[in-house]
Amino acid sequence: MYEANVTDIDVAGLHQGYLKGIRRRSGTIATGEAVFSLLHQKRVWEVKTKHQIYRAKTIVNAAGAWADEIGTLAGAQRIGLVPMRCTGIIIDAPGGLDLAASPAVDFATSGAYIKPDAGKLMASPGDATPTTPQDVRPEELDIAHLAHWIETETLIPVRRISHSWAGLRSFVADEAPVVGFDRHIPDFLWLAAQRGYGIMMAPALAKLAADLLLKRAIDQAGFDVDAISPARHGISKPL
Ligand SMILES: Cc1cc2nc3c(=O)[nH]c(=O)nc-3n(C[C@H](O)[C@H](O)[C@H](O)COP(=O)(O)OP(=O)(O)OC[C@H]3O[C@@H](n4cnc5c(N)ncnc54)[C@H](O)[C@@H]3O)c2cc1C
């Protein structure tokens, strides 16, 4: 099946745009500040890191694979988030291939895909190995399987892997994202469980979160707020 008009997102450019947006609105970005304590007293959250104590009316828990850990610090019930390791590699494209005109190729029988990426090819088996929240690294065996798979399933020779990495995609049992205020913990909003779509969904989910935070009417058609609420039924059953 060929789908025309598919485009790629410049993820680094998108992130830089978000960072600029925060700074333009006088927001502060503090990195290297792992939160280890969250206390809610007199309607104020006290957030402790090694270097600082921050105070805020509302917490947005957008801690990715660590969202359940942050929820636990706040005293919330876990949502049953499972981080899954996913591997990617960059390989040289075969000579004579017009990369600018090449499509992204998804394989219908698996989550695997190959796509042009800055003059080379990026490939992923779309693997999903359950793990714990961590700065995950690619496993040699996963890379070897991926290279073998490319060579057997396509005509692309894998001569050199110029880069490999792994990251986490986080799932809850029903595989929908989790966006909304916690049912029991006041002023605590979840924004988690975006699986392999957190970049693509970021503008829409952030807009929804902003509408919820500012108690505005939700003005995006097609959003079933109950289906992605942290209060929905069966959210925390094991995957
Ligand atoms: C190989 C691979 C390919 C992918 N491809 C796509 C794709 O094509 N399209 C797409 O849309 N998505 C894709 N994804 C998924 C996407 O990357 C994720 O959905 C997205 O990054 C999740 O964003 P997040 O902000 O929720 O989590 P993260 O980006 O993980 O951010 C969470 C942040 O919270 C911080 N944090 C955690 N604990 C603490 C603490 N105690 N104190 C302070 N900070 C803390 C972490 O340091 C981190 O910076 C892919 C993922 C992988 C691994």
Side-chain angles (χ1 to χ4, degrees):
M1 206 163 63
Y2 175 68
E3 195 180 343
N5 305 323
V6 171
T7 54
D8 217 358
I9 297 174
D10 172 0
V11 178
L14 186 72
H15 277 149
Q16 287 306 317
Y18 289 148
L19 294 175
K20 264 191 212 153
I22 290 178
R23 292 196 191 102
R24 208 170 39 233
R25 291 168 178 81
S26 312
T28 307
I29 299 156
T31 56
E33 294 261 2
V35 173
F36 67 82
S37 154
L38 285 170
L39 199 64
H40 195 236
Q41 270 179 334
K42 295 184 185 157
R43 306 190 68 193
V44 175
W45 281 102
E46 191 181 84
V47 182
K48 277 195 189 152
T49 71
K50 199 170 164 189
H51 309 288
Q52 287 274 356
I53 297 179
Y54 297 90
R55 289 190 177 78
K57 179 176 176 313
T58 308
I59 300 284
V60 177
N61 179 9
W66 293 262
D68 255 341
E69 320 309 313
I70 289 291
T72 303
L73 288 182
Q77 216 176 330
R78 294 175 82 86
I79 57 171
L81 197 68
V82 180
M84 305 264 198
R85 190 178 67 240
C86 179
T87 313
I89 61 172
I90 301 281
I91 56 172
D92 293 339
L97 191 67
D98 179 5
L99 283 175
S102 299
V105 180
D106 281 322
F107 289 76
T109 50
S110 70
Y113 61 89
I114 300 179
K115 67 184 183 91
D117 189 301
K120 293 180 185 268
L121 290 172
M122 185 236 159
S124 171
D127 48 337
T129 311
T131 181
T132 51
Q134 58 181 293
D135 288 327
V136 75
R137 289 172 187 279
E139 296 283 323
E140 289 296 324
L141 198 60
D142 289 340
I143 297 170
H145 276 146
L146 177 53
H148 176 71
W149 174 83
I150 294 170
E151 294 216 308
T152 47
E153 297 293 326
T154 76
L155 297 174
I156 301 166
V158 181
R159 296 212 175 85
R160 200 172 73 86
I161 297 173
S162 46
H163 182 51
S164 63
W165 74 99
L168 296 175
R169 303 186 298 182
S170 300
F171 295 69
V172 289
D174 62 11
E175 301 198 0
V178 178
V179 185
F181 280 103
D182 191 89
R183 229 180 342 163
H184 304 294
I185 306 296
D187 298 323
F188 187 84
L189 186 120
W190 292 84
L191 180 44
Q194 294 152 51
R195 303 189 292 147
Y197 305 102
I199 309 300
M200 288 181 267
M201 293 196 296
L205 291 189
K207 171 85 174 62
L208 174 67
D211 287 342
L212 293 171
L213 285 163
L214 299 172
K215 313 222 180 310
R216 296 188 300 224
I218 288 145
D219 69 354
Q220 295 181 91
F223 253 123
D224 182 350
V225 180
D226 293 336
I228 57 173
S229 156
R232 67 189 185 255
H233 182 67
I235 187 175
S236 56
K237 69 174 188 262
L239 262 186

